[in-house]
Amino acid sequence: MNRELFISVRRKELELKIKMRKRLFGLVLLFSAVILAPGQTIADEPSRVVIMPFNIHADRDLSFLKEGIVDMLTSRLSWEDRVVVVGRKATDQALKNVSGPLNEEIARAIATSLQADYILFGSLTIFGNSVSLDGKMVDVHQKRPTLNFFKQGNEIDEVIPQINLFATEIKERVFGRPVAARPRPPKGPERPALYAHPESLLAGKSSDQAKVSSFKPAPGAAGGFAESADTLATDITPPGFWKSHNFNFAINGVALGDVDGDGKTEVVFISKQRVYVHRFENQRLFQIWEKAAKRHGRLIAVDVADVNANGRAEIFVTSLKGGGDRLDSFVLEWNGNSFQPLSEGDSWYYRVINLPDRGRVLLGQKRTMDEAFVPGVYQLAWRNGQYAPQERLTLPKGINIFGFGVGDVMNNGRQMIVAFDEGDHLRIFSRSGEEKWKSGERYGGSMNYVESWSKNEDVPDRLYLPQRIYVHDFDGDGKQEVVVASNEGTLGRLFARLRRFTSGYMASLSWSSLGLVLNRQTPKLSGYVSDFAIGDFDNDGTHEVVVAHVGKGGIPLISRAKSSIVGYEMPQPLSSASGISISMVSRSLANHF
């Protein structure tokens, strides 16, 4: 064999060996990927997990569960040579430097200080017979999305099975650990309690039929937000929607504002006879304060605004006295320890609205025994220790303080008045009072009412109050929309003294050449919407629509009412609509508007 031929043969042999080694190395990598846990290689150290003590929110002392939950999760997640749980002493030491509520950012910082790969935290909430478990498994290196877990039940005995289920899901989805038999979740309550899948609240629909819908474009609307998403697992809190635990009374009104001067928004709501102040923290509403109003009074409206400009928003409560033919309203203000009356026995209906040229202002209107609303809506100001009328607003005849808004609703640079009439039709007026448009559809619909006595009548006339109207740039496109609640029911407005609504939703309407048209709405809730507010109720820097939802009105001496607070995130501004995420309540309020 000559030299050239020998060299050529050797070169081909070397090339063949290199190819075989590459193929063998590829097979080894493929084999490793198949037999090892996701994200783990042959030389990987075990994954380190920090388990934080779970927050316990309960109407009784259940602090013993804090250590019990950590112990249970530690034993169930530990996996020889694969998963190591950081010791309790090290975790407790890291917690000493943490103040305030725990979120994902703070959790990652704690885990990083402990040289961990994952951190697990959550809360257990027990109110009466309602039990719910929330948990988050956060990847410190952000290679995986956060695993959210939510389960609810109606017995405290269900806590342990739910923790088992949570641990099983973590083992399967995070560490790829096979589980022979996935534990069956205990049967939950038939009705949603603390959180509820949006569509499971729909009249006549069960949770297994539920689909997540955005505060979606109305049929035929141009443009719009996201289309409906696919069905989600019912053990994950759906995006775009948040619901509080149920309250055993009907909520008559809701308002948002910083009432204690700490820079954070509180949620203020009323029943017929009590005022409640709550704050949203750690995905829950926590009660700060509550108090009963005067005996035999009936509360019909609540608003919040810092009218006296002292850095603490006042709470304006419209109240009727005794038989309901006289006003007995009052104003509360935080004094550093509690909410105390700033004004009492006021003969005003109160309402706070936004006027384009003045901002948020306090309005007042009077009544007499014979006349539910005396003509004349006034802007009120704090003068000499009382709320005094400053200027009468120019409004079309028949509009009362509760059912109108002002803004550029036609988006032509002219400020207009949009208002409900007695039949719950929307009307648009010029500032001079000329009617420009009237809706064919009904919106609004309230269960709140006032009464007045006509001459020679044995039964008082009942006048149902109109719902709020917000004129707001709803989706950040520079054009203003009209935001209203809408309640429906076959017998809804059939009788003069009796109303019954079976479903309600929130709607956004925008001006077209034909008038106001529906462009977005939420899924319908079973029951009705009694009131709503727009503001940053979760203190994340963006506004939400917060709804007082009455699921069951209750019958005196027979059944209790049921209601809740529901939150929806508003649409993302169009200037940043190419991005998928927007600021949310822990990514829980995004897609319903």
Side-chain angles (χ1 to χ4, degrees):
M1 181 181 298
N2 60 38
R3 180 177 178 83
E4 289 78 13
L5 181 60
F6 176 80
I7 292 173
S8 175
V9 171
R10 290 293 296 166
R11 184 180 292 115
K12 290 182 179 179
E13 288 177 350
L14 288 172
E15 290 174 353
L16 182 61
K17 286 181 179 180
I18 291 171
K19 288 182 179 179
M20 293 298 294
R21 287 174 180 173
K22 287 182 177 178
R23 290 178 180 175
L24 180 60
F25 184 70
L27 289 173
V28 170
L29 290 179
L30 178 62
F31 178 73
S32 300
V34 171
I35 65 172
L36 295 177
Q40 188 175 13
T41 64
I42 295 175
D44 270 350
E45 294 293 327
S47 295
R48 287 171 56 84
V49 178
V50 177
I51 301 177
M52 304 294 289
F54 273 44
N55 290 324
I56 308 296
H57 309 301
D59 50 8
R60 69 208 79 165
D61 184 12
L62 297 175
S63 55
F64 67 91
L65 286 175
K66 271 197 172 186
E67 293 188 6
I69 292 175
V70 172
D71 291 341
M72 291 173 62
L73 288 170
T74 299
S75 65
R76 285 155 177 75
L77 293 182
S78 297
W79 187 8
E80 186 177 1
D81 298 328
R82 300 288 181 87
V83 180
V84 174
V85 176
V86 175
R88 291 285 297 278
K89 288 185 178 180
T91 302
D92 292 343
Q93 184 64 34
L95 274 175
K96 291 181 179 180
N97 300 320
V98 177
S99 60
L102 189 64
N103 55 34
E104 289 189 28
E105 182 180 357
I106 296 175
R108 284 195 177 93
I110 294 172
T112 300
S113 70
L114 295 172
Q115 299 181 339
D117 304 294
Y118 298 91
I119 184 166
L120 175 61
F121 66 96
S123 64
L124 174 68
T125 302
I126 300 175
F127 286 101
N129 292 327
S130 176
V131 180
S132 68
L133 179 71
D134 285 271
K136 288 179 178 289
M137 184 69 165
V138 179
D139 182 353
V140 176
H141 310 295
Q142 302 188 45
K143 296 179 180 179
R144 299 170 177 273
T146 297
L147 175 62
N148 294 285
F149 182 90
F150 171 76
K151 282 293 183 181
Q152 63 182 27
N154 53 13
E155 295 290 342
I156 194 171
D157 293 341
E158 296 175 8
V159 172
I160 293 177
Q162 300 293 10
I163 292 173
N164 287 334
L165 188 64
F166 189 17
T168 298
E169 190 165 345
I170 292 171
K171 287 187 288 188
E172 288 180 335
R173 294 175 58 180
V174 178
F175 301 117
R177 183 174 183 177
V179 179
R182 186 179 178 89
R184 297 181 63 185
K187 185 178 179 181
E190 293 182 1
R191 296 181 61 87
L194 207 56
Y195 280 100
H197 199 290
E199 298 287 341
S200 69
L201 296 175
L202 301 186
K205 293 220 176 180
S206 61
S207 59
D208 59 2
Q209 298 171 314
K211 288 181 179 291
V212 175
S213 301
S214 55
F215 188 115
K216 57 188 179 182
F225 200 47
E227 295 181 357
S228 298
D230 292 333
T231 302
L232 294 183
T234 55
D235 61 346
I236 302 296
T237 303
F241 176 90
W242 180 88
K243 176 183 177 295
S244 73
H245 62 276
N246 286 332
F247 299 96
N248 292 322
F249 52 83
I251 298 177
N252 274 7
V254 64
L256 303 174
D258 179 12
V259 295
D260 59 3
D262 66 348
K264 296 182 178 180
T265 301
E266 282 77 40
V267 184
V268 182
F269 53 94
I270 56 171
S271 65
K272 287 183 179 180
Q273 295 179 322
R274 300 186 76 85
V275 181
Y276 302 84
V277 181
H278 282 60
R279 179 180 292 159
F280 183 91
E281 288 181 356
N282 295 328
Q283 303 301 305
R284 293 289 183 273
L285 279 182
F286 292 101
Q287 182 170 296
I288 298 175
W289 183 86
E290 74 165 284
K291 187 175 182 179
K294 291 181 181 179
R295 191 177 180 184
H296 304 308
R298 178 164 63 90
L299 311 184
I300 61 172
V302 63
D303 285 274
V304 168
D306 184 12
V307 177
N308 60 10
N310 65 353
R312 301 185 303 273
E314 304 100 275
I315 300 173
F316 298 91
V317 181
T318 299
S319 176
L320 298 172
K321 181 183 290 186
D325 55 6
R326 287 178 293 171
L327 286 164
D328 190 22
S329 301
F330 56 94
V331 184
L332 300 171
E333 187 176 61
W334 180 253
N335 67 359
N337 297 306
S338 65
F339 292 91
Q340 295 296 321
L342 189 62
S343 179
E344 293 184 281
D346 304 339
S347 57
W348 290 107
Y349 293 107
Y350 285 127
R351 182 58 98 204
V352 173
I353 73 167
N354 186 71
L355 294 180
D357 52 349
R358 307 179 193 183
R360 287 173 60 80
V361 299
L362 174 66
L363 303 181
Q365 189 171 9
K366 297 284 190 177
R367 72 158 295 159
T368 65
M369 292 181 64
D370 298 331
E371 198 169 9
F373 290 94
V374 174
V377 175
Y378 294 86
Q379 180 177 344
L380 305 182
W382 180 252
R383 296 287 186 272
N384 301 320
Q386 63 179 347
Y387 295 96
Q390 300 298 298
E391 179 184 349
R392 179 172 175 172
L393 273 62
T394 302
L395 295 173
K397 184 179 179 180
I399 293 179
N400 67 51
I401 190 174
F402 290 110
F404 76 95
V406 181
D408 185 9
V409 295
M410 292 183 175
N411 294 295
N412 60 3
R414 299 177 182 176
Q415 302 301 324
M416 311 292 281
I417 298 168
V418 56
F420 282 116
D421 61 19
E422 291 186 1
D424 286 333
H425 296 279
L426 285 170
R427 297 186 179 220
I428 296 178
F429 301 88
S430 68
R431 293 301 290 265
S432 64
E434 180 186 358
E435 183 175 313
K436 297 293 186 180
W437 178 83
K438 177 182 176 181
S439 69
E441 298 291 329
R442 296 176 189 263
Y443 295 97
S446 172
M447 297 294 288
N448 248 340
Y449 63 89
V450 294
E451 293 180 327
S452 61
W453 293 86
S454 299
K455 293 180 180 180
N456 303 320
E457 293 290 339
D458 296 328
V459 179
D461 295 327
R462 178 171 292 186
L463 176 63
Y464 284 93
L465 304 181
Q467 288 264 13
R468 290 182 197 266
I469 296 176
Y470 273 83
V471 181
H472 194 86
D473 182 4
F474 192 67
D475 52 13
D477 64 352
K479 297 180 180 180
Q480 293 194 317
E481 290 84 25
V482 175
V483 184
V484 294
S486 184
N487 293 315
E488 300 175 342
T490 305
L491 302 177
R493 303 171 177 86
L494 189 60
F495 303 103
R497 293 187 56 81
L498 178 64
R499 282 189 169 187
R500 183 174 183 270
F501 296 112
T502 55
S503 65
Y505 62 94
M506 293 301 303
S508 167
L509 302 100
S510 59
W511 183 258
S512 73
S513 59
L514 300 177
L516 287 176
V517 294
L518 180 66
N519 59 18
R520 288 186 177 90
Q521 70 178 65
T522 60
K524 294 180 181 179
L525 298 171
S526 177
Y528 64 92
V529 174
S530 65
D531 195 12
F532 72 100
I534 295 178
D536 185 14
F537 103 111
D538 61 328
N539 297 293
D540 68 345
T542 62
H543 283 183
E544 292 80 35
V545 176
V546 177
V547 171
H549 164 237
V550 181
K552 185 169 64 173
I555 303 174
L557 304 179
I558 297 178
S559 65
R560 283 186 173 184
K562 293 286 185 182
S563 60
S564 60
I565 299 294
V566 176
Y568 301 98
E569 189 78 9
M570 294 175 68
Q572 183 180 10
L574 296 183
S575 60
S576 57
S578 58
I580 296 176
S581 64
I582 57 179
S583 181
M584 294 174 277
V585 183
S586 297
R587 301 180 66 189
S588 295
L589 301 178
N591 293 330
H592 273 272
F593 274 95

